[in-house]
Amino acid sequence: MWKKALQAARTARRRPAALLWAAFCLGAALAVDRSNFKTCEQSGFCRRQRGLQPGQSPYRALLESLQLGPDAARLQLVNEATKVPLLLELWGLQGNVTRIRIKELNPPRPRFEVPDVLVAEPPVERLAVTGRDEGSLELSLGPTGHRLLVTEKPFRMDLLQGRELLCSVNARGLLFFEHLRRRRDSFSDKVSSSVGSLWDKIKTLFHRDTPGDPPAEEGAAAEGQEESAAGTEDAGNQSEKPTEATAEATEEPGSWEETFKTHTDTKPNGPTSVGLDFSLPGFEHVYGIPEHAESLRLRTTEGGDPYRLYNLDVFQYELYNPMALYGSVPFLLAHSARRTLGIFWLNAAETWVDISSNTAGKTLFGKLLDYMQGGGETPQTDVRWMSESGIVDVFLLLGPTPAAVTGQYAALTGTQALPPLFALGYHQSRWNYNDEEDVAAVERGFEEHAVPCDVLWLDIEHADGKRYFTWDPSKFPRPRAMLERLAAKKRKMVSIVDPHIKVDSGYRVHNELRSRGFYVKTKDGGDYEGWCWPGSAAYPDFTNPEMRAWWASMFAYDQYEGSTETLFTWNDMNEPSVFSGPEVTMHKDAVHHGGWEHRDLHNLYGLYVQMATAEGQIQRSGGQRRPFVLSRAFFAGSQRYGAVWTGDNTAEWEHLKISIPMCLSFGLAGLSFCGADVGGFFKNPEAELLVRWYQAGAFQPFFRAHAHLDTARREPWLFGEENAALIRAAVRQRYALLPFWYTAFYRSHRHGLPVMRPLWMEHPEDAATFAIDDEYMIDRALLVHPVTEQGARGVQVYLPGKGEVWYDVASHQKHHAPQTLYVPVTMSSVPVFQRGGTVVPRQERVRRSTECMRGDPFTLYVALSPQGTAEGDLFLDDGESFDYETKARYLHRQFTFAGNTLTASSADPRGSFDTPAWLERVVILGTGKPAAVVLRPADGPETRLDFQHEAETSVLTLRKPGVRIGDDWAIVLR
Amino acid sequence: MATGRSAAHWPPRRTQDGGPQEGRAGGAATPNMAAAAGRCLRSRPGRKFRPSRFRFRRVGPEPAARGRPRDHHFYEASKPFTCLDGSATIAFAWVNDDYCDCRDGSDEPGTAACPNGRFHCTNAGYRPQNIPSAHVNDGVCDCCDATDEYDSGAACENTCKELGRREREALQRRAEVAREGFGLRQRLVQEAAAGRQEKQERLGGLQEARRGLEQRVGTLRAAKEAAEGPERAAKEEHQRRWEEQRAAAAAAQEAARADEAFAELDADGDGRVTAAELRTRPELDTDGDGAVSEDEAQALLGDPVDAAAFRDRLWATIRHRYRPQGQAEPSPPPPEPPLEETPPEEEEEEEEEAEEEEEEEDGEGPEEELKVPPPQHPEEKSPEEPPPPPPFDAATQALIDAAQQAREELEEAERALKEAEESIRALEQELAFDFGPQGEFSYLYSQCYELGTSEYIYRLCPFKRVSQKPKHGGAETNLGTWGAWAGPEHDRFSAMKYEHGTGCWQGPNRATTVKLSCGTETAVTATTEPSRCEYLMELVTPAACRTPPSHEDHDEL
């Protein structure tokens, strides 16, 4: 929702003199302005880190310093060039996870360790030393048979299971830990980054001329204090030449001050970055580390920039590009036909990730040749992480299955919050619905055109002068009455509450924040102010728990005037976006609670905003009701607080296409509740694109249409009756499948499985699926291949699974797998296939909103496997409260089909929930015509069921079993 | 009703039909249904629909009105039910049993089971309604008689009477407005017709006048040309004589100056000017040394000259250098006064132009082009300049006066012709406008209507343009100029489109749609900007009161 240029242009509208400027903007606004954002070369620490080439690591493990505690093993590492000692900590965590932490043994100041992301201190396994020799040490990591081999010199670690090497750490010698140091005033420290690269080149030249020059020793001598701290018995090794890059770190220009464009970053703590490499033998496919506008499978970064993780408000982002976007999750997955593995790099500072591969660029034939000649290396992917500050804190998630890895990640950072049911319905948004009449008219449109809709959204213009928590008195004079009118139709509303607060002494929120000292501070101690929607704005310090508690209290009905229990929240611009700041965000030397620099925790800010807002919604209901908060920025753990979306996309086919890999990557990183603005935020979609986007969006977890202020209206009925009917059909499909979606979300909430998954998660051994990102699974039962091509006549759908079958949900036609199926499409087609062997629950009485469908009867779609079996489940509760958790008020039903009998039983006897809902219909796909069908209730006599059988498609429809959905029963086909 | 059941029986009241209906449903249903019914009876009251709580809703008069052939078989309990689309025939017990059997939804008129079904609310006291089946028992009160929420637990009240009353009142008000508006419209139609006729007559008159004027201009032009010939000749003759006189006078003056100089230079009064006498006049120096040498004097003079030779020969050589005695060194000419900056004048001019433009816009144009240029003030003659020519002699002056009169008369006639043409053009344009089927919108043609909002004043000048001006200062923005009537095909005069207004950043040019509705006054009642730079304005006008008030409107109530 980048609105700055527009704001300016609006002013320009009234002042012809500014028209030229606006025209200039117009030209610049067509695509992302890359010069606003740093490349690795322009980011001092990334340049320093990346300047370090693979080679012999200067670090040595002091094996004799090993201390084996009840939880962790600790030993020292020393950089033989600087002699600064580091502390290496190793944990074997329950559930196949190894944690590695490296920090300074004696830091002159504390270094930032990321709080509030791990859900708990993970339970540990007992470690044991299982082997030891001259230069190495072997640790057993618990009962799973994993062992860690620590090599003394150069320091490296190898993680093995049995004889198989899973992962090596620092195998390429790229551990680079910039210890804290005192400032030395020298010329080079003041060279800004813009001339840094030049300086670098000059120096490199100089170096080549005088190879014997030991600048590192000079540096070390100047840091005598640290040297003494590092004093060990190994001083004899000093003669060994340190690697060039490590040595240069002490000399690197821009280490104590860095300038980008007009912004200077005073770096009072100097260079503080950390970097480390991981080698993954046997892996050719890596995924994750959202948010990037990128294919599902990550590409190698050699020859370009690394993937960047730094939450930024990027205006009109480009596709297939490693640039940073609004959110960051430093979690990467590697997958092969044999196993899946994850690396979680717990660091909230600006982070860059380099990916390289020894097979990149090789053709399949080339790989085959290597293999046949026996000389080929094992395929291997190397991943290198580089962060600007903090410590090395990394979790190796050893799987071995995809579900195990996502489960392990969820055990660390939490699972997806179970959304209130309404949030899975359709959301109608626009920047902006102008006033109460406008809202009423749009709502009426949904009624008149029979398009279900759960939520109407209000963007920034609803507030009084962008003062969040208020309403524009002329446009929204009676918000409560408006909300009540919507609530009478069982609909909700979301209003935007951004974290930039207008600096205005007449604004209560600002006055309280200022008087309580709750704003982020500048390096000089004043309140940090920047330019954002309201003009001059200050930024509440969400890292301060007291501030968060205060913020949460603002959502009480008497604090947020005009709010009701059907009003929910959208946190936008929480990267944070600062129009006047470097890279449109906050200065890195701004100061947070506890004295931490913004640099240390930048990527965490957005998570805290959503956390505090969600907490506010819980509190306002006395802890009863589940919150709904949408956030643009995120970090590892944000899944615990609500939904996220892919930000300000564009009404173009390529943007529709990329919404799939983007949300798949979000899901792998724990963020299941993902969506993209349906229709595209910028520009005007043509009708065909809009229809296709609705069809695709209906099968993505978060389903919201949204549009820029400058776009033409595009509510579903504005493109002619034919298109309205197509959109209506798409939205109705979504509503009919809500029980299935809700159950998938419950599974995600319980087990950390993504709701929307890559095919390889369900078919991990099928290498053909590894790079597919134009189709995907919803939970384990539905395969979706939305039409994302203009003028498409058909799509190629890959159906995975040897010996499996799939049923087209529209025609019920059965297809054998594996195969690539050509599916002809019309404008009404949304290719979706139900996997043979699954049961999908639906509610086919689609109504105006989810709340209206509560208690409606269910239909079960039983798709038989070639073996004549199927299973599936259904989760059901009140859809809005925490009672499922606190009072076990829920139903989790299991449906199993085997031996011509469909059986309903409890999947979880702990839960119970009273519902009038009953079983309306059973549709069995892939079965012959029975002579009779008998219903056997748990208590009561057998009864016969009426049925219909379509011989052509082998579909059997059982009429009105009528049993309550919570009951146990069996249906027998005879 | 063909079935012989009066509509009043349907839908049956819950209290009356609950028991028997249930019994019948149980009896007619398959055994499992009964079992289900039994179980469901135990479920909480006031929750969602229970399959057994059998409801029978009459579809109401609509289907019958559509003339379906099987009308009289509708929902007769004794016979199997055939779906209205003929897609299936089912046991009567399956009608309204909360399971959809017919593709057209006709077997479930009283439940939410069919995705495409309709539910009929009688809404006694208000208008009957067929709502989508999906709205039955969904917790939202849709029917004012509350019959749609018979099993959802929603607390719906019967509001039909109140709604009916309000609707009647509103209809009455609307009818009154429509009646009054229609009356006004009829008057507008008459006025428009009269106005049109009057304009056409005026046009005829103007066209007539134009012809006369054209003729007159022709005649006057010839007369002017005829008068200007003699005038030109007389003026030229006058000029020629005057120039001769002036030349003669100048020669005499020069001779007199030469004689004066001679007298001065001839210091010894011997009637000759000698070289020695010349040498006393340093200003006659030719080589720039400040003195006249013997040689220089000799070169100038040759032999001493007498007065006549001096006048004829030497004077021409020295006259520019020679200074009469007693006259001081000529002081350099005073510096010219700096040129006055002229912008104020220009500004004035601009203002004038602007005014002119405005005038033009206001349709009072023709005159300005004939505007007489401001009279030139005769500038004061400097002494060196030749004296003014003598006045024309009486004969010449008479010719000039005659020609001038001819010119003025022509100008006047041309002006009148242009004026007439302008008026004709404006009238033709107005007459060509589509002011509605009966010209009823013509009265809007020269009007403007304004509406203020918190931020802006919107101004609609029908058939011309729409604009927006910020209340707190700032320039006016053009929201579009007249485009066309833009209502749907059957109702083209219900909306106007104004297009090509000021451009929007990254967007289209501003445009406005004006929706017209019936009212007794003419006023802009609302303006909105539903999409960026696409404005919507509402104009009430009696001209839009097209239908004469009828009594059918509220008969339903």
Side-chain angles (χ1 to χ4, degrees):
Chain A
M1 219 199 35
W2 204 102
K3 306 159 184 171
K4 181 162 79 172
L6 177 97
Q7 206 81 344
R10 271 168 150 191
T11 323
R13 214 196 316 171
R14 295 190 196 109
R15 284 184 306 145
L19 277 175
L20 266 180
W21 191 85
F24 165 76
C25 261
L26 186 69
L30 296 176
V32 67
D33 183 358
R34 286 185 185 225
S35 72
N36 278 337
F37 303 100
K38 288 183 186 176
T39 61
C40 175
E41 188 62 28
Q42 289 167 319
S43 186
F45 83 91
C46 187
R47 183 175 67 244
R48 295 197 300 275
Q49 287 276 348
R50 226 187 182 196
L52 175 62
Q53 299 296 318
Q56 186 136 329
S57 175
Y59 290 93
R60 192 157 70 87
L62 307 181
L63 298 182
E64 56 289 338
S65 69
L66 174 75
Q67 288 181 319
L68 197 59
D71 56 341
R74 292 184 173 82
L75 59 131
Q76 289 182 28
L77 302 179
V78 67
N79 181 336
E80 306 220 274
T82 62
K83 299 298 168 202
V84 177
L86 303 176
L87 177 66
L88 168 68
E89 297 170 290
L90 302 165
W91 288 264
L93 305 179
Q94 281 176 18
N96 255 0
V97 177
T98 300
R99 183 182 195 178
I100 300 165
R101 197 153 72 173
I102 302 172
K103 47 191 190 181
E104 286 180 62
L105 184 63
N106 303 303
R109 289 178 300 278
R111 297 183 66 119
F112 189 71
E113 297 180 21
V114 178
D116 299 314
V117 166
L118 300 180
V119 283
E121 277 303 308
V124 296
E125 303 281 9
R126 208 170 179 89
L127 302 180
V129 177
T130 48
R132 194 162 199 167
D133 64 16
E134 189 67 6
S136 66
L137 184 74
E138 189 191 81
L139 288 168
S140 151
L141 295 171
T144 50
H146 290 98
R147 290 169 301 136
L148 187 69
L149 212 63
V150 182
T151 303
E152 178 196 3
K153 194 182 149 190
F155 163 67
R156 67 178 272 166
M157 293 190 288
D158 297 279
L159 187 64
L160 299 103
Q161 184 176 35
R163 296 173 58 85
E164 191 185 356
L165 176 61
L166 303 183
C167 174
S168 303
V169 180
N170 201 32
R172 293 194 295 152
L174 299 174
L175 171 60
F176 182 5
F177 198 113
E178 291 182 326
H179 58 274
L180 294 169
R181 63 203 70 191
R182 281 185 309 163
R183 180 168 195 157
R184 294 172 303 120
D185 279 322
S186 68
F187 166 68
S188 66
D189 289 334
K190 286 185 173 161
V191 179
S192 73
S193 76
S194 51
V195 296
S197 56
L198 181 65
W199 173 253
D200 215 19
K201 278 178 199 140
I202 293 165
K203 217 168 31 160
T204 316
L205 278 174
F206 181 70
H207 261 273
R208 225 174 281 146
D209 290 344
T210 56
D213 187 38
E217 281 176 14
E218 283 173 13
E223 294 167 284
Q225 190 189 3
E226 283 159 16
E227 195 175 9
S228 68
T232 64
E233 62 278 279
D234 289 292
N237 279 331
Q238 241 172 343
S239 59
E240 189 181 311
K241 186 180 169 282
T243 71
E244 201 179 344
T246 314
E248 269 190 316
T250 56
E251 291 291 304
E252 178 72 29
S255 291
W256 293 89
E257 189 174 285
E258 202 171 322
T259 300
F260 178 68
K261 299 192 101 174
T262 57
H263 301 282
T264 297
D265 175 13
T266 68
K267 298 165 82 173
N269 295 329
T272 55
S273 72
V274 295
L276 185 58
D277 67 282
F278 301 84
S279 297
L280 303 168
F283 289 99
E284 289 182 86
H285 293 82
V286 290
Y287 308 92
I289 53 170
E291 177 180 12
H292 299 101
E294 180 60 295
S295 51
L296 171 63
R297 182 196 177 184
L298 299 174
R299 291 179 292 181
T300 57
T301 56
E302 287 150 313
D305 258 3
Y307 286 105
R308 190 182 190 202
L309 294 172
Y310 191 58
N311 295 355
L312 290 176
D313 179 1
V314 180
F315 179 66
Q316 293 196 336
Y317 57 77
E318 267 179 39
L319 307 185
Y320 305 105
N321 181 313
M323 284 172 76
L325 288 179
Y326 314 94
S328 301
V329 182
F331 176 49
L332 175 138
L333 295 89
H335 178 70
S336 74
R338 301 190 55 225
R339 68 161 63 237
T340 314
L341 187 145
I343 301 173
F344 174 36
W345 174 266
L346 181 50
N347 189 303
E350 177 185 343
T351 296
W352 298 77
V353 186
D354 253 326
I355 295 167
S356 56
S357 157
N358 60 358
T359 55
K362 277 193 193 169
T363 61
L364 191 64
F365 179 72
K367 288 187 211 171
L368 202 66
L369 206 65
D370 281 349
Y371 177 75
M372 288 176 41
Q373 290 168 342
E377 318 160 68
T378 322
Q380 173 172 316
T381 300
D382 295 299
V383 182
R384 175 187 199 173
W385 299 79
M386 300 165 278
S387 291
E388 190 177 9
S389 67
I391 61 165
V392 173
D393 191 359
V394 59
F395 297 77
L396 300 175
L397 283 54
L398 304 177
T401 64
V405 170
T406 56
Q408 286 153 1
Y409 178 72
L412 294 171
T413 63
T415 61
Q416 177 65 53
L418 182 63
L421 182 58
F422 81 82
L424 297 183
Y426 171 68
H427 300 255
Q428 180 67 42
S429 182
R430 168 174 186 86
W431 175 31
N432 215 102
Y433 287 122
N434 297 333
D435 49 30
E436 290 174 8
E437 289 74 48
D438 197 0
V439 167
V442 171
E443 201 265 345
R444 217 159 39 237
F446 282 97
E447 290 280 301
E448 282 164 11
H449 298 88
V451 180
C453 174
D454 265 79
V455 194
L456 288 152
W457 289 55
L458 294 179
D459 208 326
I460 52 171
E461 311 296 330
H462 85 278
D464 184 10
K466 277 78 168 184
R467 294 171 187 87
Y468 307 109
F469 300 104
T470 71
W471 305 82
D472 184 305
S474 64
K475 297 172 184 163
F476 295 91
R478 301 183 63 227
R480 193 174 280 270
M482 170 179 67
L483 287 163
E484 279 161 7
R485 276 195 302 276
L486 287 174
K489 294 282 181 58
K490 312 294 177 192
R491 294 195 168 103
K492 330 280 183 210
M493 182 164 252
V494 166
S495 63
I496 198 165
V497 177
D498 285 351
H500 50 258
I501 300 299
K502 186 177 175 72
V503 173
D504 167 10
S505 59
Y507 179 27
R508 180 173 70 93
V509 175
H510 164 70
N511 289 339
E512 285 211 35
L513 284 163
R514 172 155 286 178
S515 66
R516 291 167 191 254
F518 278 162
Y519 280 132
V520 176
K521 301 285 185 281
T522 65
K523 64 180 163 48
D524 305 316
D527 285 346
Y528 178 93
E529 287 181 19
W531 200 260
C532 210
W533 295 130
S536 192
Y539 292 77
D541 186 1
F542 284 88
T543 67
N544 178 351
E546 284 176 46
M547 150 60 209
R548 290 200 301 274
W550 178 85
W551 180 266
S553 75
M554 281 302 296
F555 288 88
Y557 302 122
D558 58 344
Q559 294 295 307
Y560 187 171
E561 281 173 44
S563 70
T564 70
E565 62 181 22
T566 59
L567 180 68
F568 298 86
T569 312
W570 173 16
N571 290 148
D572 199 4
M573 313 293 281
N574 54 338
E575 293 75 24
S577 179
V578 183
F579 295 161
S580 52
E583 303 192 85
V584 200
T585 192
M586 191 172 275
H587 290 74
K588 281 177 172 170
D589 53 12
V591 179
H592 288 264
H593 180 65
W596 297 109
E597 279 191 284
H598 187 68
R599 174 187 338 276
D600 297 317
L601 47 78
H602 171 85
N603 286 344
L604 206 48
Y605 187 85
L607 174 143
Y608 277 131
V609 175
Q610 195 183 14
M611 176 200 267
T613 305
E615 182 56 33
Q617 282 184 16
I618 296 171
Q619 280 179 18
R620 71 177 184 180
S621 74
Q624 296 299 304
R625 282 164 186 267
R626 309 204 296 259
F628 172 73
V629 183
L630 176 72
S631 172
R632 191 169 70 181
F634 54 81
F635 189 67
S638 285
Q639 66 268 19
R640 306 195 298 261
Y641 308 112
V644 287
W645 93 110
T646 62
D648 298 348
N649 60 0
T650 303
E652 289 170 356
W653 289 91
E654 284 299 312
H655 274 264
L656 164 59
K657 215 170 287 181
I658 208 158
S659 68
I660 302 168
M662 286 183 82
C663 275
L664 285 172
S665 298
F666 280 43
L668 287 173
L671 303 157
S672 265
F673 204 2
C674 168
D677 284 349
V678 169
F681 177 68
F682 292 112
K683 301 192 181 170
N684 293 306
E686 52 183 333
E688 184 189 355
L689 175 59
L690 186 68
V691 168
R692 291 301 190 197
W693 212 317
Y694 268 96
Q695 291 172 341
F699 288 92
Q700 291 178 8
F702 177 56
F703 183 24
R704 180 185 75 149
H706 184 52
H708 188 276
L709 183 65
D710 276 336
T711 60
R713 288 279 174 143
R714 55 165 93 141
E715 284 72 41
W717 48 88
L718 293 178
F719 294 78
E721 184 42 48
E722 203 175 316
N723 291 310
L726 291 167
I727 293 171
R728 181 187 305 124
V731 179
R732 290 176 65 93
Q733 280 200 63
R734 165 63 167 229
Y735 275 73
L737 275 169
L738 280 169
F740 172 69
W741 278 106
Y742 196 52
T743 304
F745 265 91
Y746 179 70
R747 198 179 334 285
S748 182
H749 174 58
R750 280 283 190 242
H751 305 293
L753 274 163
V755 168
M756 176 176 169
R757 306 174 195 160
L759 294 190
W760 57 260
M761 278 204 81
E762 290 299 318
H763 295 89
E765 286 162 25
D766 186 350
T769 63
F770 293 177
I772 290 180
D773 61 8
D774 57 356
E775 62 184 63
Y776 59 92
M777 298 294 297
I778 303 173
D779 205 9
R780 53 179 292 265
L782 294 185
L783 184 152
V784 188
H785 188 126
V787 181
T788 57
E789 296 281 346
Q790 184 172 21
R793 297 279 185 80
V795 293
Q796 298 280 354
V797 179
Y798 180 71
L799 298 174
K802 199 162 183 247
E804 292 195 27
V805 293
W806 296 82
Y807 299 85
D808 185 320
V809 300
S811 66
H812 296 158
Q813 205 187 335
K814 181 160 79 177
H815 301 281
H816 289 273
Q819 68 158 316
T820 300
L821 180 70
Y822 178 78
V823 182
V825 299
T826 64
M827 270 317 289
S828 63
S829 310
V830 193
V832 179
F833 297 84
Q834 186 175 347
R835 189 178 183 176
T838 63
V839 178
V840 169
R842 293 180 185 242
Q843 276 179 310
E844 298 197 313
R845 302 183 177 189
V846 173
R847 301 188 189 250
R848 33 164 71 101
S849 73
T850 53
E851 193 181 330
C852 291
M853 292 166 68
R854 206 177 281 180
D856 271 348
F858 289 87
T859 295
L860 298 179
Y861 280 78
V862 181
L864 298 185
S865 69
Q867 294 74 38
T869 60
E871 60 177 343
D873 59 347
L874 169 69
F875 174 78
L876 197 64
D877 72 341
D878 64 18
E880 60 182 26
S881 78
F882 284 108
D883 287 357
Y884 76 96
E885 199 172 67
T886 54
K887 299 175 183 159
R889 287 200 183 138
Y890 62 91
L891 287 180
H892 192 185
R893 305 296 302 164
Q894 175 74 27
F895 306 107
T896 310
F897 190 94
N900 276 331
T901 303
L902 177 64
T903 313
S905 57
S906 176
D908 180 355
R910 287 170 301 175
S912 67
F913 177 64
D914 259 335
T915 170
W918 50 286
L919 183 62
E920 179 173 34
R921 193 182 295 110
V922 176
V923 181
I924 303 175
L925 308 178
T927 187
K929 183 173 184 177
V933 179
V934 168
L935 170 71
R936 284 188 195 140
D939 51 346
E942 270 188 18
T943 53
R944 286 172 89 93
L945 293 182
D946 288 290
F947 63 87
Q948 269 190 323
H949 185 261
E950 281 177 51
E952 202 187 322
T953 48
S954 300
V955 176
L956 177 68
T957 304
L958 310 184
R959 187 186 191 279
K960 205 178 176 192
V963 286
R964 293 217 299 180
I965 203 67
D967 288 350
D968 290 348
W969 45 263
I971 291 174
V972 184
L973 312 187
R974 287 191 178 137
Chain B
M1 300 306 308
T3 56
R5 290 192 183 120
S6 96
H9 293 141
W10 304 98
R13 296 188 67 83
R14 195 172 175 178
T15 46
Q16 292 167 345
D17 76 332
Q21 288 278 2
E22 235 151 50
R24 191 166 49 177
T30 51
N32 69 289
M33 245 197 79
R39 272 191 304 282
C40 289
L41 267 177
R42 290 193 298 272
S43 69
R44 315 292 147 294
R47 302 298 290 261
K48 273 289 171 180
F49 185 79
R50 283 149 288 164
S52 62
R53 299 258 332 175
F54 185 83
R55 289 282 169 255
F56 194 26
R57 302 282 146 180
R58 189 68 179 83
V59 190
E62 256 70 5
R66 274 185 240 125
R68 300 266 185 183
R70 269 185 293 272
D71 272 355
H72 54 286
H73 299 306
F74 269 15
Y75 311 123
E76 260 189 72
S78 56
K79 296 177 186 169
F81 174 78
T82 300
C83 309
L84 294 188
D85 64 355
S87 61
T89 299
I90 57 172
F92 186 78
W94 284 9
V95 173
N96 268 337
D97 72 337
D98 206 19
Y99 185 92
C100 192
D101 293 291
C102 294
R103 235 173 262 156
D104 66 354
S106 57
D107 63 318
E108 297 292 320
T111 75
C114 291
N116 51 347
R118 308 294 286 184
F119 177 93
H120 181 76
C121 337
T122 314
N123 291 347
Y126 188 60
R127 60 179 82 247
Q129 217 182 340
N130 285 328
I131 61 167
S133 289
H135 292 183
V136 174
N137 288 325
D138 70 343
V140 179
C141 307
D142 290 287
C143 299
C144 65
D145 63 6
T147 50
D148 61 318
E149 296 300 313
Y150 58 85
D151 208 6
S152 69
C156 300
E157 282 169 21
N158 188 327
T159 56
C160 291
K161 271 192 185 142
E162 172 63 15
L163 278 176
R165 188 181 60 73
R166 271 191 296 187
E167 169 108 345
R168 270 190 301 278
E169 284 170 10
L171 279 176
Q172 211 166 349
R173 272 197 304 278
R174 217 181 308 156
E176 273 162 29
V177 167
R179 193 174 308 122
E180 195 183 334
F182 188 73
L184 291 168
R185 178 183 181 276
Q186 296 306 90
R187 211 179 309 156
L188 286 174
V189 168
Q190 283 166 13
E191 279 168 17
R196 192 176 173 80
Q197 197 178 350
E198 182 265 324
K199 283 187 186 98
Q200 246 146 4
E201 279 164 14
R202 191 141 49 97
L203 183 63
L206 279 167
Q207 279 161 341
E208 186 79 6
R210 179 172 61 182
R211 275 192 295 278
L213 281 167
E214 276 164 355
Q215 253 173 11
R216 181 168 157 75
V217 165
T219 316
L220 287 173
R221 180 166 293 124
K224 182 197 106 174
E225 272 153 23
E228 276 177 343
E231 176 204 39
R232 203 177 309 118
K235 271 176 150 176
E236 278 166 11
E237 176 58 21
H238 175 77
Q239 183 70 17
R240 191 185 57 74
R241 266 183 282 146
W242 167 234
E243 272 162 19
E244 274 173 16
Q245 269 175 32
R246 265 170 58 200
Q253 199 179 8
E254 195 60 26
R257 277 183 70 196
D259 289 347
E260 262 173 55
F262 182 86
E264 266 184 32
L265 282 174
D266 185 16
D268 54 4
D270 66 349
R272 287 159 28 121
V273 171
T274 64
E277 283 163 341
L278 277 187
R279 290 188 61 193
T280 63
R281 307 302 286 249
E283 76 260 31
L284 300 179
D285 172 37
T286 55
D287 62 0
D289 66 354
V292 179
S293 67
E294 182 71 45
D295 289 349
E296 280 175 282
Q298 199 61 46
L300 276 170
L301 186 67
D303 292 326
V305 291
D306 60 9
F310 180 86
R311 196 163 55 234
D312 296 342
R313 198 160 50 76
L314 187 60
W315 176 239
T317 318
I318 64 167
R319 63 182 289 260
H320 294 295
R321 272 173 287 159
Y322 175 80
R323 273 196 306 275
Q325 232 166 9
Q327 195 171 317
E329 281 281 304
S331 55
E336 294 224 0
L339 276 176
E340 280 281 321
E341 298 269 337
T342 47
E345 273 175 38
E346 277 172 24
E347 253 179 43
E348 263 171 47
E349 264 173 47
E350 271 174 20
E351 270 177 22
E352 274 170 35
E353 274 166 32
E355 274 170 24
E356 282 162 21
E357 273 168 26
E358 266 176 36
E359 279 170 8
E360 220 172 329
E361 276 172 16
D362 291 347
E364 297 166 11
E367 261 163 330
E368 50 88 25
E369 280 179 26
L370 296 177
K371 206 155 95 176
V372 188
Q376 291 226 315
H377 297 287
E379 281 175 32
E380 241 176 90
K381 298 268 154 39
S382 58
E384 284 88 11
E385 273 184 27
F392 295 113
D393 57 64
T396 307
Q397 188 61 47
L399 287 173
I400 289 171
D401 289 348
Q404 183 61 28
Q405 194 185 346
R407 271 193 294 272
E408 279 168 13
E409 281 172 3
L410 174 63
E411 268 173 28
E412 199 179 325
E414 279 176 339
R415 190 160 53 228
L417 176 60
K418 197 158 186 184
E419 225 170 282
E421 278 169 347
E422 287 289 334
S423 305
I424 287 167
R425 206 180 312 144
L427 265 176
E428 279 174 345
Q429 197 181 28
E430 192 178 342
L431 284 165
F433 252 108
D434 184 354
F435 289 123
Q438 293 172 279
E440 62 270 37
F441 295 102
S442 63
Y443 80 104
L444 296 170
Y445 185 70
S446 49
Q447 305 297 316
C448 289
Y449 303 92
E450 284 189 350
L451 180 72
T453 64
S454 56
E455 273 179 89
Y456 299 102
I457 291 169
Y458 291 87
R459 187 175 159 92
L460 166 68
C461 302
F463 305 106
K464 294 198 178 68
R465 68 200 289 265
V466 184
S467 59
Q468 171 202 55
K469 198 178 165 83
K471 261 190 173 162
H472 309 291
E476 192 179 81
T477 306
N478 180 356
L479 305 186
T481 50
W482 167 252
W485 289 103
E489 218 163 293
H490 64 278
D491 196 12
R492 209 159 58 83
F493 300 99
S494 61
M496 297 164 151
K497 186 85 189 168
Y498 293 80
E499 300 157 317
H500 311 301
T502 313
C504 268
W505 180 75
Q506 242 193 345
N509 285 6
R510 287 174 176 74
T512 304
T513 300
V514 178
K515 292 207 162 167
L516 280 69
S517 56
C518 169
T520 51
E521 289 178 346
T522 307
V524 174
T525 54
T527 112
T528 51
E529 187 182 357
S531 260
R532 203 96 190 99
C533 300
E534 285 179 22
Y535 297 82
L536 185 65
M537 206 171 240
E538 283 174 39
L539 178 74
V540 295
T541 159
C545 304
R546 267 182 299 278
T547 36
S550 79
H551 299 280
E552 288 155 38
D553 277 358
H554 44 106
D555 271 1
E556 277 183 76
L557 303 177

